[in-house]
Amino acid sequence: MRFNISAADSGSSARAGILETPHGPITTPIFMPVGTVGAVKSLDPEALNTAGVRIILGNTYHLYLRPGTEIINTAGGLHQFIGWDKPILTDSGGFQVFSLAKMNKITDDGVEFQSHLDGSRHFFNPAVSMEIQRNLGSDIIMAFDQCPPGDAGIEMAEVAVKRTSRWIAECRDWLAENPLLYGHDQTLFPIVQGSVYEELRRRSAAEVVPFATCGVAIGGLAVGEEKSAMFEMIDLLDGELPRDQPRYLMGVGRPTDLVRAVRLGVDMFDCVMPTRNARNGQLFTSHGIINIKNQKYKTDFATLDEACDCYLCRNFTRAYLCHLIRVNEILGLRLASLHNVTYYLNLMSTMREQISDGNFTIWAADYLGKMSDHQGM
Ligand SMILES: [Zn+2]
């Protein structure tokens, strides 16, 4: 992969760039919708393309459990299996093992856990995670790290930093020693841990950045810590991470979080929020959050968001979407998901334009000012 910065903002660390991948270029800053089990819930590749999606995320833990790597390998890799010919990033499975699986037991060697589906026993370590991700054939492979919860004490955070540093070398070595499966390169992103502790963040960055060839991730944030602490850590890392590689902030977040993080030099994001919130009837719009299930939308025949060009906003009314979501109709979930994903991708596209035009600082202050009264944005 190659990363070229095409424009940089003079008033902040924001930059616009192009990340060349084996499955085509991605313009940054970019948002990656989450396709947990090999599908961005309710959206097919055609809808994703229309929404401006250029890269999606797949979850190693879920795909390993179902349908299993053997089936995906037989299909010719995840791109082939799910009919998506653009870039894919896969996570390491670690986060789900720590947060979702039952009875997990962590040592320096790896993690023993029980499936959240049937209680069956499994073991993940750097080699296992790399082998699964190699079989998935993602363009970007995430390092197997330990992500402690947001309220972790400094001792637990330090253990996680040590393991993450030890494991990144094992990830790199496994990938170097085992052949590619589908003829295209895979790039490993190391992950910086350290919770909300400055010294640990600096140490983690110093230890994992040498393993970065074209991209590095900021992990262990948006996991329950104070939001102010999250931005302090991103600000700190802006000075620690290489400027010539893309920076990926994992699991973030709300639209205003994305704008603030781009201002601090972040290039890539993923979050379940646009699709999950859509299914609960929460829509992101240029007017703030709209809870479409509210009584008042039953008879609101206006367009959901006149600033949006998605299929929902071009063709249907708030009243119709309110009805569909209230009766739990699949079409409602799909249209709402399409709108929210479009909102996120349009926001990223606007940021890229504003950076390229030299107006990002003013635009970002205006956007954040406008949205500050809107809870949930
Ligand atoms: Zn829309």
Side-chain angles (χ1 to χ4, degrees):
M1 290 202 316
R2 274 206 324 263
F3 183 58
N4 288 307
I5 294 172
S6 49
D9 182 43
S10 56
S12 74
S13 293
R15 64 266 187 87
I18 300 175
L19 180 61
E20 304 279 355
T21 83
H23 287 87
I26 303 161
T27 46
T28 63
I30 194 69
F31 180 81
M32 306 179 278
V34 179
T36 305
V37 295
V40 176
K41 286 194 196 309
S42 84
L43 300 178
D44 53 65
E46 195 180 341
L48 294 173
N49 276 320
T50 310
V53 175
R54 292 297 171 264
I55 173 169
I56 60 171
L57 183 146
N59 284 123
T60 287
Y61 170 85
H62 292 286
L63 292 166
Y64 159 80
L65 291 177
R66 291 184 308 193
T69 41
E70 207 179 310
I71 287 177
I72 294 173
N73 176 277
T74 307
L78 188 58
H79 289 89
Q80 290 284 336
F81 185 55
I82 70 174
W84 174 254
D85 60 6
K86 291 190 170 69
I88 297 176
L89 178 150
T90 45
D91 64 6
S92 71
F95 184 78
Q96 280 75 26
V97 166
F98 296 123
S99 61
L100 197 57
K102 291 175 226 158
M103 306 281 291
N104 63 56
K105 194 180 139 219
I106 313 163
T107 67
D108 289 346
D109 297 330
V111 189
E112 221 181 281
F113 63 95
Q114 278 186 285
S115 159
H116 72 294
L117 299 170
D118 61 6
S120 55
R121 295 192 158 278
H122 304 268
F123 179 75
F124 272 11
N125 63 10
V128 173
S129 173
M130 293 305 106
E131 188 179 2
I132 300 168
Q133 292 186 78
R134 174 127 303 165
N135 273 279
L136 296 175
S138 46
D139 300 87
I140 300 172
I141 287 182
M142 296 310 298
F144 189 73
D145 63 335
Q146 183 176 348
C147 177
D151 59 357
I154 193 159
E155 292 82 10
M156 189 198 234
E158 186 171 12
V159 169
V161 164
K162 278 185 183 157
R163 284 202 182 116
T164 298
S165 297
R166 171 187 170 145
W167 289 348
I168 182 67
E170 294 178 27
C171 292
R172 192 251 337 247
D173 292 348
W174 192 95
L175 292 172
E177 288 158 10
N178 290 276
L180 293 167
L181 293 180
Y182 310 112
H184 66 263
D185 272 337
Q186 296 182 286
T187 300
L188 174 67
F189 275 27
I191 303 174
V192 178
Q193 287 293 343
S195 190
V196 296
Y197 306 103
E198 277 192 37
E199 192 267 328
L200 289 180
R201 281 284 167 187
R202 283 187 212 283
R203 194 200 304 174
S204 184
E207 289 173 359
V208 304
V209 162
F211 293 88
T213 56
C214 188
V216 56
I218 304 171
L221 293 177
V223 288
E225 77 286 0
E226 292 285 334
K227 194 149 270 192
S228 56
M230 174 174 101
F231 284 106
E232 277 166 31
M233 292 303 116
I234 300 168
D235 194 14
L236 177 148
L237 289 172
D238 182 25
E240 305 287 326
L241 303 180
R243 297 219 165 266
D244 59 352
Q245 298 191 30
R247 295 129 167 223
Y248 162 33
L249 177 59
M250 303 179 78
V252 174
R254 298 192 175 283
T256 53
D257 295 335
L258 304 190
V259 174
R260 292 176 70 187
V262 165
R263 200 157 65 172
L264 295 172
V266 174
D267 307 291
M268 301 168 70
F269 302 89
D270 80 284
C271 192
V272 294
M273 200 169 277
T275 42
R276 180 186 289 166
N277 291 23
R279 297 195 300 278
N280 295 326
Q282 212 183 55
L283 285 303
F284 297 95
T285 78
S286 57
H287 307 288
I289 298 265
I290 286 182
N291 287 303
I292 200 70
K293 284 187 196 168
N294 283 359
Q295 190 75 13
K296 65 177 174 183
Y297 296 117
K298 274 182 154 179
T299 53
D300 185 341
F301 297 97
T303 298
L304 175 65
D305 185 358
E306 70 287 344
C308 179
D309 58 355
C310 85
Y311 184 70
L312 166 65
C313 293
R314 280 188 287 114
N315 293 287
F316 305 103
T317 62
R318 292 175 176 185
Y320 182 50
L321 184 62
C322 174
H323 161 67
L324 292 177
I325 297 278
R326 276 172 166 254
V327 299
N328 206 25
E329 162 61 44
I330 295 169
L331 179 61
L333 307 180
R334 178 175 159 81
L335 293 174
S337 300
L338 180 67
H339 168 82
N340 274 358
V341 170
T342 303
Y343 180 87
Y344 269 63
L345 269 298
N346 282 347
L347 178 64
M348 304 318 288
S349 159
T350 300
M351 284 198 270
R352 292 195 297 269
E353 279 167 28
Q354 296 296 337
I355 294 166
S356 298
D357 295 347
N359 297 324
F360 180 77
T361 303
I362 295 166
W363 174 86
D366 182 59
Y367 181 88
L368 294 171
K370 201 173 72 181
M371 290 303 175
S372 63
D373 296 340
H374 296 278
Q375 248 203 339
M377 284 298 280

